[in-house]
Amino acid sequence: MSAITTSFPDAPRGWDLPSRGKVAMASLILAESAIFTIFVVAYLFYVGKSLTGPTPREVLATPIFYTICLLSSSLTIHLAAKALQRNYTRLFLGLLLLTIAMGGLFLFGTAQEWHRLIYEHGLTISTNLFGTTYYSLVGLHAFHVTVGLIMLLIVALFGLAGRVGIKQSERVEVLSMYWHFVDAVWVVVFTVVYVIGR
Amino acid sequence: MSSNAITVPAVQIQDRPWVDKLHQWVTTTDHKRLGILYIASALLFLVLGGVEALIIRVQLMHAHNDLVSPQVFNRMFTMHGTTMIFFVAMPILFGFANYLVPLMIGARDMAFPRLNAFSFWLSFFGALLLYFSFLGGSGLYGAGNAPDIGWWAYAPLAARAFSPGHSSDYWTLAVLASGFGSIGTAINIIATIVSMRCPGMTLGRMPLLAWLNLVMAGMVLLAISPLSAAQIMLLVDRYLGGHFFDTQAGGSAVLWMHFFWIFGHPEVYVLIIPCFAFMSEIIPVFSRKPIFGYPVMVGATVAIAFVSMSVWAHHMFTVGMSSYANSFFTITTMAVGVPTGIKIFNWIGTMWGGRIQLRTPMLFSIGFLFQFLIAGLTGIMMASSPFDWQLSLSYFVVAHFHYVIVGGILFALFGAFYYWYPKMTGRMLSESLGKWHFWLFFIGFHLTFDVMHIPGILGMPRRIYTYEPSRGWDTLNLIITIGAFIQAIAILVFVANLVISYFKGATAGNDPWDAWTLEWSTSSPPPAYNFASIPVVASRRPLWDLKHPEDPDSRYE
Amino acid sequence: MRRVTSSTLRIVSQVIFLLWAATAVWAGELGNSPLHTTNIFAPSSTPAKSIVELSVFVLVITGIIFVVVFALLAYSVVKFRARAGDAGREPAQVYGSTQIELAWTIIPILIVVVLFLATARVIHTIQDAPQPPTAIEVTAVGHQYWWEFRYPNLGIVTANELHIPVSDPAHPTPTFFKLLSADTDHSFWVPELAGKTDLIPNHPNRMWVDPHKTGVFLGQCAQYCGAQHAKMLLRVSVDSAKDFEAWVQSQQQPAIQDERAAVGRRVFDGNACMNCHTVAGTPANGRFGPDLTHLMSRGTIAAGAAENTHNNLRLWIQDPSAIKPGSLMPAMKLNDADLDAVVSYMETLR
């Protein structure tokens, strides 16, 4: 059997493929969007169908301040990633910590809201359809915010130890994609729960 | 083996103590090993799921049989369905994707090897969790109980009120875990194909197997997620007192059905599209011609992916949707048959004018074409919703989907085994055992699943543990059971082939089939790093170009 | 081993297809003993007939598609087989053909359009059929594992065995159903009368039948509903107008008060039977189990799981799991004397 040496043609110039981190994060965001869509569909389907108990109009208070916090944190993380790309590590760290603070504030606001709903209005996940769909949807979002905050905190810790520089800027960009997604989901949840669903 | 085949010297493998080898396998992040782990675990669960099927078939062999109690029977069909879909079909296809995709695109591994390992072990854990239910399913009630709510877990049967104990939770958690594993693997496949193709391999020059796995992975992201969401909702209902599917509180049982089938229908395309991929690689090589209509094959697959996301409620024609909804899902379901049919025609077009070699991979491929054609046509019958009002929930549907899954998917998988086993192990599978395997399985399959359409037509519903002797279903069920045992024997022949050939099979060399895609340019089995140097390609069939420098594909594309 | 030729493959598959087709035809012939078989191709009612007409049309078209594509497949396997002298020579490498692709895209699309239009028409005529004023109204409630039938306009409540009048095409008297469920999902399927429709809690459904022949038509629950889904059988008696009238009259009466059954009645009332069962005209008005007022007018018990005989009735009350393990009727643990008394009482409920 004659052996043909495997000599492949010459490599084309400029073979640039998209970064795998960004492709992977985009794919994850696609899957997560599908999960959230189902919870949103359930929420919308059950609007007005509860047989008993408090209605959204009676108990919900629109969380404008905390929404502004969360949405601004998208801006701060965007600026943080940009800063890191230009090697302004101190600015990056500051903006990152600000992002974490605002995200944390948002979670605090959610906790406060839930405390009020449970103890003042007696609305729990098992009270009625509104309770079930509200806590599930908002809770799923809050869970994703929490995961995002943990990731941001890890990066902040490494940053404080001086280990995050321009070489890590792409990874930070990938993480910021996730954070933007979490904020975009909040825009949808906010619209569905506090605007449409009332 | 043709003298045109490319030879590459085999790589020397160091011999190590068995403990080290075991450790390597358990901690591996290598896509080839993970691929084999996926395939091996799927084969294990294929046997378990097959035993469950045989129990079902023996129980139904004649009216008023009492091999098992109704409770055990209901667990058998639930476990059979859940096992076969989530712990056989998905893993085995992910296994082949894992093994082949990096090799076929000229990469050294998947994009995220550790995520790859994590996804496999998460899925495997899910499988173990499901089977643990036989021991722990009733929780405090003290007895083991596998889930018995059917693999769709319809509400309100899956609610606490109607399914006390933990058996349903084992179903939910096991499938949820494997679902997350699937999403992880899908992300990996997409990132690998998009970001790690070798130089020169534009998307238009990728092997169809890569394209189709890319489409499949995209569908997994959009299809598995609704199921995961619905299962989280089910857990909220069962454990936190939620009312998502609680009809007493105004909840909707139909909502679960929508969510489940929004997953369930694209899922069957997730399963068949990688099988289309196998066919698109095997049929050209054994017809000695390139695939007919490569761009159309890609386009048709993308069309299938999109359209199949809009057909789900054809599983719900009897639920009482409006005539407009039923009409909508009728036309979308019929429409998805168009791109699917186009693919069948293109495969026949590939064979047309070729020089067809009837080796075992090709026998299974021809079986696939024949059976997938029939399965598609019975699907068209059920797409017509009034006809479906009779056929749905009967053995006609059971016959139809087994025709797709066994006659289509499993036949394609067998073809893939016989085609790529030499690459994975360096040994050829025995052709004569292969032919015994094929013909035994073909006969058993048709005996069972052709006949199975008839009890459905005669009014036999599915998921019944027994039936009245006066219905005239006895003889038919007996024939179906006999066919099942013939298929079981064929599987034993297959397993024997896998084992015997591993030790005694002819040496494969790196290119036993005189094929044209990159995996055949490296040794069998490939070294850990896949390629000594990253290949560069200029056409869809890089090895054809190397073997036929006077007439390369790159001239025509 | 002798190489199996592709012509063998072709012959084997043709034989199998012919067998399949033949058995389907034979299956259609079977529908001549109405008591036992449940053949979707032996329709006795308008919706079932419309479905058969449509399905024959679909079968013809899919049959033609099968023959054409199978012929192409078989031909290519036979004609383009590699022959012994071929070694090393590759055939012409054809990459595709736009015209052919267009052809086999457009023709299937046209077939789909035709099939869809035929289907949409039947969907509409069946689902959107208006209810005539002469229709009989039945509310069917699915339970684990039995059927409750209420005739709201006639004041009748019965279980498992349905009586409806035959419908004369000149003066139609179809039966229109409202389908409800008390617990999980069920499905009402009597193949020779209509396609199936599900009974889903909190989701009332509507269906109708328009039977053209008298007789008894069988069916059963088609949506898995739990342990005894298999024995949730249906028995529909399509009666002549006269017979139906007589049945209605007798069903509208309260329970027969037979003095000889007084002992049994005391056992019945004193042993929690009345918590689940209704016997019209007595204090027993439970709704969890079937209405027993006219139990003896039914040919079977336990939703068709057993013939309505003395021994079966006795066994059922003593230990339901002997007949239907997983049924929700508890074993009443009566002593023999009480058991016999209750059975005697049941046997007076004609």
PDB file of all heavy atoms in Angstrom, chain B residues 378-395:
ATOM      1  N   THR B 378     -46.542   7.568   8.063  1.00  0.00           N
ATOM      2  CA  THR B 378     -47.532   7.405   9.139  1.00  0.00           C
ATOM      3  C   THR B 378     -47.613   8.691   9.957  1.00  0.00           C
ATOM      4  O   THR B 378     -48.658   9.017  10.506  1.00  0.00           O
ATOM      5  CB  THR B 378     -47.228   6.211  10.074  1.00  0.00           C
ATOM      6  OG1 THR B 378     -45.932   6.342  10.617  1.00  0.00           O
ATOM      7  CG2 THR B 378     -47.355   4.896   9.337  1.00  0.00           C
ATOM      8  N   GLY B 379     -46.526   9.445   9.989  1.00  0.00           N
ATOM      9  CA  GLY B 379     -46.572  10.749  10.644  1.00  0.00           C
ATOM     10  C   GLY B 379     -47.502  11.695   9.920  1.00  0.00           C
ATOM     11  O   GLY B 379     -48.270  12.438  10.551  1.00  0.00           O
ATOM     12  N   ILE B 380     -47.470  11.683   8.585  1.00  0.00           N
ATOM     13  CA  ILE B 380     -48.375  12.522   7.804  1.00  0.00           C
ATOM     14  C   ILE B 380     -49.824  12.130   8.097  1.00  0.00           C
ATOM     15  O   ILE B 380     -50.712  12.978   8.201  1.00  0.00           O
ATOM     16  CB  ILE B 380     -48.071  12.400   6.301  1.00  0.00           C
ATOM     17  CG1 ILE B 380     -46.700  12.974   5.987  1.00  0.00           C
ATOM     18  CG2 ILE B 380     -49.137  13.091   5.468  1.00  0.00           C
ATOM     19  CD1 ILE B 380     -46.623  14.473   6.046  1.00  0.00           C
ATOM     20  N   MET B 381     -50.052  10.833   8.244  1.00  0.00           N
ATOM     21  CA  MET B 381     -51.419  10.386   8.571  1.00  0.00           C
ATOM     22  C   MET B 381     -51.891  11.017   9.864  1.00  0.00           C
ATOM     23  O   MET B 381     -53.018  11.501   9.980  1.00  0.00           O
ATOM     24  CB  MET B 381     -51.458   8.864   8.714  1.00  0.00           C
ATOM     25  CG  MET B 381     -51.249   8.119   7.428  1.00  0.00           C
ATOM     26  SD  MET B 381     -51.177   6.348   7.764  1.00  0.00           S
ATOM     27  CE  MET B 381     -50.219   5.807   6.345  1.00  0.00           C
ATOM     28  N   MET B 382     -51.002  11.035  10.846  1.00  0.00           N
ATOM     29  CA  MET B 382     -51.420  11.582  12.133  1.00  0.00           C
ATOM     30  C   MET B 382     -51.393  13.091  12.164  1.00  0.00           C
ATOM     31  O   MET B 382     -51.948  13.707  13.066  1.00  0.00           O
ATOM     32  CB  MET B 382     -50.556  10.994  13.246  1.00  0.00           C
ATOM     33  CG  MET B 382     -50.847   9.519  13.420  1.00  0.00           C
ATOM     34  SD  MET B 382     -50.016   8.827  14.818  1.00  0.00           S
ATOM     35  CE  MET B 382     -48.347   9.086  14.293  1.00  0.00           C
ATOM     36  N   ALA B 383     -50.733  13.706  11.174  1.00  0.00           N
ATOM     37  CA  ALA B 383     -50.746  15.163  11.096  1.00  0.00           C
ATOM     38  C   ALA B 383     -52.141  15.653  10.781  1.00  0.00           C
ATOM     39  O   ALA B 383     -52.521  16.773  11.142  1.00  0.00           O
ATOM     40  CB  ALA B 383     -49.777  15.637  10.012  1.00  0.00           C
ATOM     41  N   SER B 384     -52.920  14.793  10.105  1.00  0.00           N
ATOM     42  CA  SER B 384     -54.282  15.157   9.762  1.00  0.00           C
ATOM     43  C   SER B 384     -55.114  14.982  11.019  1.00  0.00           C
ATOM     44  O   SER B 384     -55.432  13.858  11.424  1.00  0.00           O
ATOM     45  CB  SER B 384     -54.748  14.212   8.657  1.00  0.00           C
ATOM     46  OG  SER B 384     -56.110  14.335   8.444  1.00  0.00           O
ATOM     47  N   SER B 385     -55.488  16.094  11.682  1.00  0.00           N
ATOM     48  CA  SER B 385     -55.992  15.929  13.053  1.00  0.00           C
ATOM     49  C   SER B 385     -57.241  15.064  13.201  1.00  0.00           C
ATOM     50  O   SER B 385     -57.314  14.333  14.181  1.00  0.00           O
ATOM     51  CB  SER B 385     -56.135  17.258  13.792  1.00  0.00           C
ATOM     52  OG  SER B 385     -56.625  18.265  12.991  1.00  0.00           O
ATOM     53  N   PRO B 386     -58.205  15.097  12.272  1.00  0.00           N
ATOM     54  CA  PRO B 386     -59.319  14.174  12.491  1.00  0.00           C
ATOM     55  C   PRO B 386     -58.880  12.713  12.490  1.00  0.00           C
ATOM     56  O   PRO B 386     -59.354  11.921  13.306  1.00  0.00           O
ATOM     57  CB  PRO B 386     -60.265  14.465  11.320  1.00  0.00           C
ATOM     58  CG  PRO B 386     -59.954  15.851  10.927  1.00  0.00           C
ATOM     59  CD  PRO B 386     -58.480  15.990  11.131  1.00  0.00           C
ATOM     60  N   PHE B 387     -57.976  12.361  11.556  1.00  0.00           N
ATOM     61  CA  PHE B 387     -57.460  10.998  11.537  1.00  0.00           C
ATOM     62  C   PHE B 387     -56.766  10.729  12.870  1.00  0.00           C
ATOM     63  O   PHE B 387     -56.870   9.667  13.463  1.00  0.00           O
ATOM     64  CB  PHE B 387     -56.487  10.854  10.366  1.00  0.00           C
ATOM     65  CG  PHE B 387     -56.241   9.442   9.896  1.00  0.00           C
ATOM     66  CD1 PHE B 387     -56.863   8.351  10.478  1.00  0.00           C
ATOM     67  CD2 PHE B 387     -55.367   9.204   8.843  1.00  0.00           C
ATOM     68  CE1 PHE B 387     -56.630   7.058  10.027  1.00  0.00           C
ATOM     69  CE2 PHE B 387     -55.128   7.917   8.375  1.00  0.00           C
ATOM     70  CZ  PHE B 387     -55.757   6.848   8.979  1.00  0.00           C
ATOM     71  N   ASP B 388     -56.071  11.754  13.398  1.00  0.00           N
ATOM     72  CA  ASP B 388     -55.364  11.598  14.657  1.00  0.00           C
ATOM     73  C   ASP B 388     -56.322  11.411  15.821  1.00  0.00           C
ATOM     74  O   ASP B 388     -55.973  10.808  16.828  1.00  0.00           O
ATOM     75  CB  ASP B 388     -54.464  12.811  14.909  1.00  0.00           C
ATOM     76  CG  ASP B 388     -53.501  12.573  16.054  1.00  0.00           C
ATOM     77  OD1 ASP B 388     -52.683  11.660  15.947  1.00  0.00           O
ATOM     78  OD2 ASP B 388     -53.603  13.288  17.073  1.00  0.00           O
ATOM     79  N   TRP B 389     -57.532  11.936  15.699  1.00  0.00           N
ATOM     80  CA  TRP B 389     -58.495  11.743  16.794  1.00  0.00           C
ATOM     81  C   TRP B 389     -58.787  10.260  17.008  1.00  0.00           C
ATOM     82  O   TRP B 389     -59.193   9.851  18.086  1.00  0.00           O
ATOM     83  CB  TRP B 389     -59.812  12.505  16.524  1.00  0.00           C
ATOM     84  CG  TRP B 389     -59.627  13.991  16.553  1.00  0.00           C
ATOM     85  CD1 TRP B 389     -58.679  14.694  17.251  1.00  0.00           C
ATOM     86  CD2 TRP B 389     -60.399  14.968  15.851  1.00  0.00           C
ATOM     87  NE1 TRP B 389     -58.811  16.038  17.026  1.00  0.00           N
ATOM     88  CE2 TRP B 389     -59.876  16.241  16.181  1.00  0.00           C
ATOM     89  CE3 TRP B 389     -61.495  14.911  14.986  1.00  0.00           C
ATOM     90  CZ2 TRP B 389     -60.377  17.427  15.662  1.00  0.00           C
ATOM     91  CZ3 TRP B 389     -62.009  16.077  14.481  1.00  0.00           C
ATOM     92  CH2 TRP B 389     -61.451  17.326  14.815  1.00  0.00           C
ATOM     93  N   GLN B 390     -58.590   9.474  15.984  1.00  0.00           N
ATOM     94  CA  GLN B 390     -58.702   8.020  16.161  1.00  0.00           C
ATOM     95  C   GLN B 390     -57.353   7.390  16.517  1.00  0.00           C
ATOM     96  O   GLN B 390     -57.258   6.524  17.368  1.00  0.00           O
ATOM     97  CB  GLN B 390     -59.253   7.368  14.879  1.00  0.00           C
ATOM     98  CG  GLN B 390     -60.691   7.713  14.571  1.00  0.00           C
ATOM     99  CD  GLN B 390     -61.677   6.947  15.460  1.00  0.00           C
ATOM    100  OE1 GLN B 390     -61.376   6.572  16.586  1.00  0.00           O
ATOM    101  NE2 GLN B 390     -62.870   6.715  14.946  1.00  0.00           N
ATOM    102  N   LEU B 391     -56.287   7.829  15.835  1.00  0.00           N
ATOM    103  CA  LEU B 391     -55.009   7.142  15.981  1.00  0.00           C
ATOM    104  C   LEU B 391     -54.238   7.514  17.238  1.00  0.00           C
ATOM    105  O   LEU B 391     -53.450   6.720  17.756  1.00  0.00           O
ATOM    106  CB  LEU B 391     -54.129   7.447  14.756  1.00  0.00           C
ATOM    107  CG  LEU B 391     -54.707   6.997  13.417  1.00  0.00           C
ATOM    108  CD1 LEU B 391     -53.810   7.494  12.286  1.00  0.00           C
ATOM    109  CD2 LEU B 391     -54.827   5.486  13.369  1.00  0.00           C
ATOM    110  N   SER B 392     -54.470   8.746  17.716  1.00  0.00           N
ATOM    111  CA  SER B 392     -53.690   9.218  18.859  1.00  0.00           C
ATOM    112  C   SER B 392     -53.929   8.332  20.077  1.00  0.00           C
ATOM    113  O   SER B 392     -54.976   7.722  20.219  1.00  0.00           O
ATOM    114  CB  SER B 392     -54.129  10.651  19.144  1.00  0.00           C
ATOM    115  OG  SER B 392     -53.737  11.056  20.418  1.00  0.00           O
ATOM    116  N   LEU B 393     -52.962   8.264  20.958  1.00  0.00           N
ATOM    117  CA  LEU B 393     -53.078   7.538  22.228  1.00  0.00           C
ATOM    118  C   LEU B 393     -53.366   6.052  22.033  1.00  0.00           C
ATOM    119  O   LEU B 393     -53.764   5.358  22.964  1.00  0.00           O
ATOM    120  CB  LEU B 393     -54.172   8.152  23.120  1.00  0.00           C
ATOM    121  CG  LEU B 393     -53.874   9.569  23.608  1.00  0.00           C
ATOM    122  CD1 LEU B 393     -55.094  10.164  24.293  1.00  0.00           C
ATOM    123  CD2 LEU B 393     -52.707   9.546  24.582  1.00  0.00           C
ATOM    124  N   SER B 394     -53.149   5.552  20.809  1.00  0.00           N
ATOM    125  CA  SER B 394     -53.346   4.127  20.559  1.00  0.00           C
ATOM    126  C   SER B 394     -52.030   3.496  20.150  1.00  0.00           C
ATOM    127  O   SER B 394     -51.020   4.191  20.010  1.00  0.00           O
ATOM    128  CB  SER B 394     -54.346   3.933  19.424  1.00  0.00           C
ATOM    129  OG  SER B 394     -53.703   4.177  18.176  1.00  0.00           O
ATOM    130  N   TYR B 395     -52.062   2.196  19.906  1.00  0.00           N
ATOM    131  CA  TYR B 395     -50.835   1.518  19.500  1.00  0.00           C
ATOM    132  C   TYR B 395     -50.366   1.926  18.111  1.00  0.00           C
ATOM    133  O   TYR B 395     -49.236   1.609  17.725  1.00  0.00           O
ATOM    134  CB  TYR B 395     -50.977  -0.009  19.651  1.00  0.00           C
ATOM    135  CG  TYR B 395     -50.380  -0.449  20.960  1.00  0.00           C
ATOM    136  CD1 TYR B 395     -51.108  -0.396  22.136  1.00  0.00           C
ATOM    137  CD2 TYR B 395     -49.036  -0.823  21.028  1.00  0.00           C
ATOM    138  CE1 TYR B 395     -50.527  -0.729  23.352  1.00  0.00           C
ATOM    139  CE2 TYR B 395     -48.449  -1.164  22.230  1.00  0.00           C
ATOM    140  CZ  TYR B 395     -49.188  -1.110  23.390  1.00  0.00           C
ATOM    141  OH  TYR B 395     -48.608  -1.429  24.592  1.00  0.00           O
TER     142      TYR B 395
END
